[in-house]
Amino acid sequence: CNSKFCKHRPFVHLHLHTDFSRLDGAGTSVSYIKKAKEYNHPAITILDHGNTSGTLTHFQKCKAAGIKPIMGMEAYLNDNLDKNLDKEEAESIDKSNKNTHQSIIVKNKEGYVNLNKLTYLSFTEGYYYKGRITTDWLFENKNGLITTSSCMASKFAVLLREGKEKEAEERIKL
């Protein structure tokens, strides 16, 4: 890049989807690591939608390239999972796009274990077309994890778009 804005300064991308994010990831972890090395980025995050399938490869390839691996997941969040809904109610909730996104970043080994617990729960207890978690499950397994305000599909952003500023403010304080 010859732009004055692209002088290969150290930068850490915290919201990166790989080919493990269906219809959202543009490349493989390996291709991103290669670019990170080329652009002098000290670390790189993997934050795939609803799964952690690429984290082991990401970790190994980053270590081999001398780049700090940051692992995580952009979870599908749905707080209606614990409400004993019948199939019709569950389908109407899913069709009305009640799943939101929550970016979760691993801070340490305990966080990696907890992220794997959340992934397991998402597929064993929360699965409906895709693995989903609840806010309660996230709080029960929060140690060693960092959550962010996420993307435009986050609960926070959805509340803001719906004009529910007070609810959004309460959500961010969680």
Side-chain angles (χ1 to χ4, degrees), residues 21-98:
S21 287
R22 286 183 304 165
L23 304 175
D24 211 4
T28 65
S29 180
V30 173
S31 66
Y32 292 138
I33 292 166
K34 182 178 175 186
K35 276 292 181 196
K37 189 79 172 164
E38 180 182 333
Y39 288 111
N40 195 31
H41 297 174
I44 189 168
T45 305
I46 185 173
L47 210 64
D48 284 322
H49 282 290
N51 75 81
T52 56
S53 299
T55 56
L56 180 61
T57 299
H58 177 74
F59 182 85
Q60 292 170 334
K61 299 294 183 181
C62 278
K63 287 292 190 180
I67 294 174
K68 180 180 179 170
I70 302 173
M71 295 171 296
M73 174 175 72
E74 187 169 28
Y76 294 107
L77 188 68
N78 188 319
D79 288 329
N80 292 308
L81 301 180
D82 294 337
K83 299 177 176 128
N84 297 315
L85 303 174
D86 64 28
K87 184 178 180 186
E88 200 171 290
E89 289 172 311
E91 285 176 353
S92 71
I93 286 171
D94 200 59
K95 286 179 183 168
S96 65
N97 199 23
K98 293 294 182 182

Coordinates of all heavy atoms in Angstrom, one line a residue, residues 21-98:
S21 N -16.3 -19.1 9.0 CA -17.5 -18.3 9.1 C -18.3 -18.4 7.8 O -17.9 -17.6 6.9 CB -17.2 -16.8 9.5 OG -16.8 -16.7 10.8
R22 N -19.2 -19.2 7.7 CA -20.0 -19.4 6.5 C -20.5 -18.0 5.9 O -21.1 -17.3 6.7 CB -21.2 -20.3 6.7 CG -20.8 -21.7 6.8 CD -22.0 -22.6 6.9 NE -22.8 -22.1 8.0 CZ -24.1 -22.5 8.2 NH1 -24.7 -23.3 7.4 NH2 -24.7 -22.0 9.2
L23 N -20.2 -17.8 4.7 CA -20.7 -16.6 4.0 C -20.2 -15.3 4.5 O -20.7 -14.2 4.2 CB -22.2 -16.6 3.9 CG -22.9 -17.8 3.4 CD1 -24.4 -17.7 3.5 CD2 -22.5 -18.0 1.9
D24 N -19.2 -15.3 5.4 CA -18.7 -14.1 5.9 C -17.1 -14.0 5.9 O -16.6 -12.9 5.9 CB -19.2 -13.9 7.4 CG -19.3 -12.5 7.8 OD1 -19.2 -11.6 7.0 OD2 -19.7 -12.2 9.0
G25 N -16.4 -15.1 5.9 CA -15.0 -15.1 6.0 C -14.4 -15.1 4.5 O -14.8 -15.9 3.7
A26 N -13.5 -14.2 4.3 CA -13.0 -14.1 2.9 C -11.7 -14.9 2.7 O -11.3 -15.2 1.6 CB -12.6 -12.6 2.7
G27 N -11.1 -15.4 3.8 CA -9.8 -16.1 3.6 C -9.6 -17.1 4.7 O -10.4 -17.2 5.6
T28 N -8.5 -17.7 4.6 CA -8.1 -18.7 5.7 C -7.3 -18.0 6.7 O -6.7 -16.9 6.5 CB -7.3 -19.8 5.1 OG1 -6.0 -19.3 4.6 CG2 -8.0 -20.6 4.0
S29 N -7.2 -18.6 7.9 CA -6.3 -18.1 8.9 C -4.9 -17.9 8.4 O -4.2 -16.9 8.7 CB -6.4 -19.0 10.2 OG -5.6 -18.5 11.2
V30 N -4.4 -18.9 7.7 CA -3.1 -18.9 7.2 C -2.8 -17.7 6.2 O -1.8 -17.0 6.3 CB -2.7 -20.2 6.4 CG1 -1.4 -20.1 5.7 CG2 -2.8 -21.4 7.4
S31 N -3.8 -17.4 5.4 CA -3.6 -16.2 4.5 C -3.6 -14.9 5.3 O -2.9 -14.0 4.9 CB -4.7 -16.2 3.4 OG -6.0 -16.0 3.9
Y32 N -4.4 -14.8 6.3 CA -4.4 -13.6 7.1 C -3.1 -13.5 7.9 O -2.6 -12.4 8.1 CB -5.6 -13.6 8.1 CG -7.0 -13.5 7.4 CD1 -8.1 -14.3 7.8 CD2 -7.2 -12.6 6.4 CE1 -9.3 -14.1 7.2 CE2 -8.4 -12.4 5.8 CZ -9.5 -13.2 6.2 OH -10.7 -13.1 5.6
I33 N -2.6 -14.6 8.4 CA -1.4 -14.5 9.1 C -0.2 -14.1 8.2 O 0.6 -13.2 8.6 CB -1.1 -15.9 9.8 CG1 -2.1 -16.2 10.9 CG2 0.4 -16.0 10.3 CD1 -2.1 -17.6 11.4
K34 N -0.2 -14.5 7.0 CA 0.8 -14.1 6.0 C 0.7 -12.6 5.8 O 1.7 -11.9 5.8 CB 0.5 -14.8 4.7 CG 1.6 -14.5 3.7 CD 1.3 -15.3 2.4 CE 2.2 -14.9 1.3 NZ 1.9 -15.5 0.0
K35 N -0.5 -12.0 5.7 CA -0.7 -10.6 5.5 C -0.3 -9.9 6.8 O 0.4 -8.8 6.7 CB -2.1 -10.2 5.2 CG -2.4 -10.4 3.7 CD -1.7 -9.3 2.9 CE -2.0 -9.4 1.5 NZ -1.1 -8.7 0.6
A36 N -0.6 -10.4 7.9 CA -0.3 -9.8 9.2 C 1.3 -9.7 9.3 O 1.8 -8.6 9.7 CB -0.8 -10.5 10.4
K37 N 1.9 -10.7 8.9 CA 3.4 -10.7 9.0 C 4.0 -9.7 8.0 O 4.9 -8.9 8.4 CB 3.9 -12.1 8.6 CG 5.4 -12.4 8.8 CD 5.7 -12.6 10.3 CE 7.1 -13.0 10.4 NZ 7.5 -12.9 11.8
E38 N 3.4 -9.6 6.8 CA 3.8 -8.7 5.8 C 3.6 -7.2 6.3 O 4.5 -6.4 6.0 CB 3.0 -8.9 4.5 CG 3.4 -8.0 3.4 CD 2.5 -8.3 2.2 OE1 2.0 -9.5 2.0 OE2 2.3 -7.4 1.4
Y39 N 2.5 -7.0 7.0 CA 2.2 -5.6 7.4 C 2.7 -5.3 8.8 O 2.3 -4.3 9.4 CB 0.7 -5.3 7.3 CG 0.3 -5.2 5.9 CD1 -0.5 -6.1 5.3 CD2 0.7 -4.1 5.1 CE1 -0.9 -6.0 3.9 CE2 0.3 -3.9 3.8 CZ -0.5 -4.9 3.2 OH -0.9 -4.7 1.9
N40 N 3.5 -6.2 9.4 CA 4.1 -5.9 10.7 C 3.1 -5.9 11.8 O 3.3 -5.1 12.8 CB 5.0 -4.7 10.7 CG 5.9 -4.6 11.9 OD1 6.3 -5.6 12.4 ND2 6.2 -3.3 12.3
H41 N 2.0 -6.6 11.8 CA 1.1 -6.7 12.8 C 1.6 -7.7 13.9 O 1.9 -8.8 13.6 CB -0.3 -7.1 12.3 CG -0.9 -6.2 11.3 ND1 -2.0 -6.5 10.6 CD2 -0.5 -5.0 10.9 CE1 -2.3 -5.5 9.8 NE2 -1.4 -4.5 9.9
P42 N 1.6 -7.2 15.2 CA 2.1 -8.1 16.2 C 1.2 -9.2 16.7 O 1.7 -10.2 17.3 CB 2.3 -7.1 17.4 CG 1.3 -6.0 17.2 CD 1.2 -5.9 15.7
A43 N -0.1 -9.1 16.4 CA -1.0 -10.1 16.8 C -2.2 -10.1 15.8 O -2.4 -9.2 15.0 CB -1.6 -9.8 18.2
I44 N -3.0 -11.2 15.8 CA -4.1 -11.3 14.9 C -5.2 -12.2 15.6 O -4.9 -13.2 16.3 CB -3.7 -11.9 13.5 CG1 -4.9 -11.8 12.6 CG2 -3.2 -13.3 13.6 CD1 -4.5 -12.0 11.1
T45 N -6.4 -11.8 15.5 CA -7.5 -12.4 16.1 C -8.3 -13.3 15.1 O -8.5 -12.9 14.0 CB -8.5 -11.4 16.7 OG1 -7.8 -10.5 17.6 CG2 -9.6 -12.0 17.5
I46 N -8.8 -14.4 15.6 CA -9.8 -15.2 14.9 C -11.1 -15.1 15.6 O -11.1 -15.3 16.8 CB -9.3 -16.6 14.6 CG1 -10.3 -17.4 13.8 CG2 -9.1 -17.3 15.9 CD1 -9.8 -18.8 13.3
L47 N -12.2 -14.7 15.0 CA -13.4 -14.5 15.6 C -14.5 -15.0 14.7 O -15.3 -14.2 14.2 CB -13.6 -13.0 15.9 CG -14.4 -12.5 17.1 CD1 -13.8 -13.0 18.4 CD2 -14.5 -11.0 17.1
D48 N -14.6 -16.3 14.5 CA -15.5 -16.9 13.6 C -16.9 -16.9 14.2 O -17.1 -17.0 15.4 CB -15.1 -18.2 13.1 CG -13.9 -18.1 12.1 OD1 -14.0 -17.2 11.2 OD2 -13.0 -19.0 12.1
H49 N -17.9 -16.9 13.3 CA -19.3 -17.0 13.7 C -19.7 -18.4 14.2 O -19.6 -19.4 13.6 CB -20.2 -16.7 12.5 CG -20.3 -15.3 12.1 ND1 -21.0 -14.4 12.9 CD2 -19.9 -14.6 11.1 CE1 -21.0 -13.2 12.3 NE2 -20.3 -13.3 11.2
G50 N -20.1 -18.4 15.5 CA -20.7 -19.5 16.1 C -19.8 -20.8 16.3 O -20.3 -21.8 16.7
N51 N -18.5 -20.7 16.1 CA -17.7 -21.9 16.2 C -16.2 -21.5 16.5 O -15.8 -20.3 16.3 CB -17.8 -22.8 15.0 CG -17.0 -22.2 13.8 OD1 -15.8 -22.4 13.7 ND2 -17.7 -21.6 12.9
T52 N -15.5 -22.4 17.0 CA -14.1 -22.3 17.3 C -13.2 -23.3 16.5 O -12.1 -23.6 16.9 CB -13.8 -22.4 18.8 OG1 -14.3 -23.7 19.2 CG2 -14.4 -21.3 19.6
S53 N -13.8 -23.7 15.4 CA -13.1 -24.8 14.6 C -11.7 -24.5 14.1 O -10.9 -25.4 14.0 CB -14.0 -25.2 13.4 OG -15.3 -25.6 13.9
G54 N -11.4 -23.2 13.9 CA -10.1 -22.9 13.3 C -9.1 -22.4 14.4 O -8.0 -22.1 14.0
T55 N -9.5 -22.4 15.6 CA -8.6 -21.8 16.6 C -7.3 -22.6 16.8 O -6.2 -22.0 17.0 CB -9.3 -21.7 18.0 OG1 -9.8 -22.9 18.5 CG2 -10.4 -20.6 17.9
L56 N -7.3 -23.9 16.8 CA -6.0 -24.7 17.0 C -5.0 -24.4 15.9 O -3.9 -24.1 16.1 CB -6.3 -26.2 17.1 CG -5.1 -27.0 17.3 CD1 -4.3 -26.7 18.6 CD2 -5.4 -28.5 17.3
T57 N -5.5 -24.4 14.6 CA -4.6 -24.1 13.5 C -4.2 -22.7 13.6 O -3.0 -22.4 13.3 CB -5.4 -24.4 12.2 OG1 -5.8 -25.7 12.1 CG2 -4.5 -24.0 11.0
H58 N -5.1 -21.8 13.9 CA -4.7 -20.4 14.0 C -3.6 -20.2 15.1 O -2.6 -19.5 14.8 CB -6.0 -19.6 14.4 CG -5.7 -18.1 14.7 ND1 -5.5 -17.2 13.7 CD2 -5.7 -17.4 15.8 CE1 -5.3 -16.0 14.2 NE2 -5.4 -16.1 15.5
F59 N -3.8 -20.8 16.2 CA -2.8 -20.7 17.3 C -1.4 -21.2 16.8 O -0.4 -20.6 17.0 CB -3.2 -21.5 18.5 CG -2.3 -21.5 19.7 CD1 -2.4 -20.4 20.6 CD2 -1.4 -22.4 19.9 CE1 -1.5 -20.4 21.7 CE2 -0.5 -22.4 20.9 CZ -0.6 -21.3 21.8
Q60 N -1.4 -22.4 16.2 CA -0.1 -23.0 15.8 C 0.5 -22.2 14.7 O 1.8 -22.0 14.7 CB -0.4 -24.5 15.3 CG -0.8 -25.4 16.4 CD -1.3 -26.8 15.9 OE1 -1.8 -26.9 14.8 NE2 -1.2 -27.8 16.7
K61 N -0.2 -21.8 13.7 CA 0.4 -21.0 12.6 C 0.9 -19.6 13.0 O 1.9 -19.2 12.6 CB -0.6 -20.9 11.5 CG -1.1 -22.2 10.9 CD 0.0 -22.9 10.2 CE -0.5 -24.2 9.5 NZ 0.6 -25.0 8.9
C62 N 0.1 -19.0 13.9 CA 0.6 -17.7 14.5 C 1.9 -17.9 15.2 O 2.8 -17.1 15.0 CB -0.4 -17.1 15.4 SG -1.8 -16.3 14.6
K63 N 2.0 -18.9 16.1 CA 3.2 -19.1 16.9 C 4.4 -19.4 15.9 O 5.5 -18.8 16.1 CB 3.0 -20.3 17.8 CG 2.1 -20.0 19.0 CD 2.8 -19.0 19.9 CE 2.1 -18.9 21.2 NZ 2.7 -18.0 22.1
A64 N 4.2 -20.2 14.9 CA 5.2 -20.5 13.9 C 5.7 -19.2 13.2 O 6.8 -19.1 12.8 CB 4.8 -21.5 12.9
A65 N 4.8 -18.3 13.0 CA 5.1 -17.0 12.3 C 5.6 -15.9 13.2 O 5.9 -14.8 12.7 CB 3.8 -16.5 11.5
G66 N 5.6 -16.2 14.5 CA 6.1 -15.1 15.4 C 5.0 -14.0 15.7 O 5.4 -12.9 16.0
I67 N 3.8 -14.4 15.5 CA 2.7 -13.4 15.7 C 1.9 -14.0 16.9 O 1.6 -15.2 17.0 CB 1.8 -13.3 14.5 CG1 2.6 -12.7 13.3 CG2 0.6 -12.5 14.7 CD1 1.9 -12.6 12.0
K68 N 1.4 -13.0 17.8 CA 0.6 -13.4 18.9 C -0.8 -13.8 18.4 O -1.5 -13.0 17.8 CB 0.5 -12.3 19.9 CG -0.3 -12.7 21.1 CD -0.4 -11.6 22.2 CE -1.3 -12.1 23.3 NZ -1.3 -11.3 24.4
P69 N -1.2 -15.1 18.7 CA -2.6 -15.5 18.4 C -3.6 -15.0 19.4 O -3.3 -15.1 20.6 CB -2.5 -17.0 18.4 CG -1.4 -17.3 19.4 CD -0.4 -16.2 19.3
I70 N -4.6 -14.4 19.0 CA -5.7 -14.0 19.8 C -7.0 -14.8 19.3 O -7.3 -14.7 18.2 CB -6.0 -12.5 19.8 CG1 -4.8 -11.7 20.2 CG2 -7.2 -12.2 20.7 CD1 -4.9 -10.2 20.1
M71 N -7.5 -15.6 20.2 CA -8.6 -16.5 19.8 C -9.9 -16.0 20.4 O -10.0 -15.4 21.5 CB -8.3 -17.9 20.2 CG -7.1 -18.4 19.4 SD -6.5 -20.0 20.0 CE -6.0 -19.6 21.7
G72 N -11.0 -16.3 19.7 CA -12.3 -16.0 20.2 C -13.4 -16.5 19.3 O -13.1 -17.4 18.5
M73 N -14.6 -16.0 19.5 CA -15.7 -16.4 18.7 C -16.7 -15.3 18.6 O -16.9 -14.5 19.6 CB -16.3 -17.7 19.3 CG -17.6 -18.1 18.6 SD -18.3 -19.7 19.3 CE -18.9 -19.2 20.9
E74 N -17.4 -15.1 17.5 CA -18.5 -14.2 17.5 C -19.8 -15.1 17.7 O -20.2 -15.8 16.7 CB -18.6 -13.4 16.2 CG -19.7 -12.4 16.3 CD -19.6 -11.4 15.1 OE1 -19.1 -11.7 14.1 OE2 -20.1 -10.3 15.4
A75 N -20.2 -15.2 18.9 CA -21.3 -16.1 19.2 C -22.7 -15.6 18.8 O -22.9 -14.4 18.7 CB -21.3 -16.3 20.8
Y76 N -23.6 -16.5 18.5 CA -24.9 -16.2 18.3 C -25.6 -16.2 19.6 O -25.6 -17.2 20.3 CB -25.6 -17.2 17.3 CG -25.1 -17.1 15.9 CD1 -24.3 -18.2 15.5 CD2 -25.4 -16.1 15.1 CE1 -23.7 -18.1 14.2 CE2 -24.8 -16.0 13.8 CZ -24.0 -17.1 13.4 OH -23.5 -17.0 12.1
L77 N -26.2 -15.1 20.0 CA -26.8 -14.9 21.3 C -28.3 -14.8 21.2 O -28.8 -14.1 20.4 CB -26.2 -13.6 21.9 CG -26.6 -13.2 23.4 CD1 -25.8 -14.2 24.3 CD2 -26.2 -11.8 23.7
N78 N -29.0 -15.6 22.1 CA -30.4 -15.7 22.0 C -30.9 -16.0 23.5 O -30.7 -17.1 23.9 CB -30.9 -16.7 21.0 CG -32.4 -16.6 20.8 OD1 -33.2 -16.5 21.8 ND2 -32.8 -16.7 19.6
D79 N -31.5 -15.0 24.1 CA -31.9 -15.3 25.5 C -33.3 -15.9 25.6 O -33.8 -16.0 26.7 CB -31.9 -13.9 26.2 CG -30.5 -13.5 26.5 OD1 -29.6 -14.3 26.7 OD2 -30.2 -12.2 26.6
N80 N -33.8 -16.4 24.5 CA -35.1 -17.1 24.6 C -34.9 -18.6 24.6 O -35.9 -19.4 24.6 CB -35.9 -16.8 23.3 CG -36.4 -15.3 23.4 OD1 -37.0 -14.9 24.4 ND2 -36.1 -14.6 22.3
L81 N -33.7 -19.1 24.7 CA -33.4 -20.5 24.7 C -33.9 -21.2 26.0 O -34.3 -22.3 26.0 CB -31.9 -20.8 24.6 CG -31.2 -20.3 23.4 CD1 -29.8 -20.6 23.4 CD2 -31.9 -20.8 22.1
D82 N -33.9 -20.5 27.1 CA -34.3 -21.1 28.4 C -35.8 -21.1 28.6 O -36.3 -21.6 29.6 CB -33.6 -20.3 29.6 CG -32.1 -20.5 29.5 OD1 -31.6 -21.5 29.0 OD2 -31.4 -19.7 30.1
K83 N -36.5 -20.4 27.7 CA -38.0 -20.4 27.9 C -38.6 -21.5 27.1 O -38.6 -21.5 26.0 CB -38.5 -19.0 27.3 CG -37.9 -17.8 28.0 CD -38.4 -16.6 27.3 CE -37.9 -15.4 28.1 NZ -37.2 -14.4 27.3
N84 N -39.1 -22.5 27.8 CA -39.7 -23.7 27.2 C -40.6 -23.4 26.1 O -41.9 -23.5 26.2 CB -40.3 -24.5 28.3 CG -39.3 -25.0 29.3 OD1 -38.2 -25.4 28.9 ND2 -39.7 -24.9 30.6
L85 N -40.1 -23.0 24.9 CA -40.9 -22.6 23.8 C -41.3 -23.9 22.9 O -40.4 -24.7 22.8 CB -40.2 -21.6 22.9 CG -39.7 -20.3 23.5 CD1 -38.9 -19.5 22.6 CD2 -40.9 -19.5 24.0
D86 N -42.5 -23.9 22.4 CA -42.8 -25.0 21.5 C -42.1 -24.7 20.1 O -41.6 -23.6 19.9 CB -44.3 -25.3 21.4 CG -45.1 -24.1 20.8 OD1 -44.5 -23.3 20.0 OD2 -46.3 -24.0 21.1
K87 N -42.2 -25.6 19.2 CA -41.5 -25.5 17.9 C -42.0 -24.3 17.2 O -41.2 -23.5 16.6 CB -41.7 -26.8 17.1 CG -40.9 -26.7 15.8 CD -41.0 -28.0 15.0 CE -40.2 -27.9 13.8 NZ -40.4 -28.9 12.9
E88 N -43.3 -24.0 17.1 CA -43.8 -22.9 16.4 C -43.3 -21.6 17.0 O -42.9 -20.7 16.2 CB -45.3 -23.0 16.5 CG -46.0 -22.2 15.4 CD -47.5 -22.4 15.4 OE1 -47.9 -23.5 15.0 OE2 -48.3 -21.5 15.7
E89 N -43.3 -21.4 18.3 CA -42.8 -20.2 18.9 C -41.3 -20.0 18.6 O -40.9 -18.9 18.3 CB -43.0 -20.3 20.4 CG -44.4 -20.1 20.9 CD -44.6 -20.4 22.4 OE1 -44.0 -21.4 22.9 OE2 -45.2 -19.5 23.0
A90 N -40.5 -21.1 18.7 CA -39.1 -21.0 18.5 C -38.8 -20.6 17.0 O -38.0 -19.8 16.7 CB -38.4 -22.4 18.7
E91 N -39.6 -21.2 16.1 CA -39.4 -20.8 14.7 C -39.8 -19.3 14.4 O -39.1 -18.6 13.7 CB -40.3 -21.7 13.8 CG -39.7 -23.1 13.6 CD -40.6 -24.0 12.8 OE1 -41.8 -23.6 12.5 OE2 -40.2 -25.1 12.5
S92 N -40.8 -18.8 15.1 CA -41.2 -17.4 14.9 C -40.1 -16.5 15.5 O -39.8 -15.5 14.9 CB -42.6 -17.1 15.5 OG -42.5 -17.1 16.9
I93 N -39.5 -16.9 16.6 CA -38.4 -16.1 17.1 C -37.2 -16.1 16.2 O -36.7 -15.0 15.9 CB -38.0 -16.6 18.5 CG1 -39.1 -16.2 19.5 CG2 -36.7 -16.1 19.0 CD1 -39.0 -16.8 20.9
D94 N -36.9 -17.3 15.7 CA -35.7 -17.3 14.8 C -36.0 -16.6 13.5 O -35.1 -15.9 13.0 CB -35.4 -18.8 14.5 CG -34.0 -19.0 14.0 OD1 -33.0 -18.6 14.7 OD2 -33.8 -19.5 12.9
K95 N -37.2 -16.7 13.0 CA -37.5 -16.0 11.7 C -37.5 -14.5 11.9 O -37.3 -13.7 11.0 CB -38.8 -16.4 11.2 CG -38.8 -17.8 10.6 CD -40.1 -18.3 10.1 CE -40.0 -19.7 9.5 NZ -41.3 -20.3 9.3
S96 N -37.8 -14.0 13.1 CA -37.9 -12.6 13.4 C -36.5 -12.0 13.8 O -36.4 -10.9 14.3 CB -38.9 -12.2 14.5 OG -38.5 -12.8 15.7
N97 N -35.5 -12.9 13.6 CA -34.1 -12.4 13.7 C -33.7 -12.0 15.2 O -33.2 -11.0 15.4 CB -33.7 -11.3 12.8 CG -32.2 -11.2 12.6 OD1 -31.5 -12.2 12.8 ND2 -31.7 -10.1 12.2
K98 N -34.2 -12.9 16.1 CA -33.9 -12.6 17.5 C -32.5 -13.0 17.9 O -32.0 -12.6 19.0 CB -34.9 -13.3 18.4 CG -36.3 -12.7 18.3 CD -36.4 -11.3 18.8 CE -37.8 -10.7 18.7 NZ -37.9 -9.4 19.0

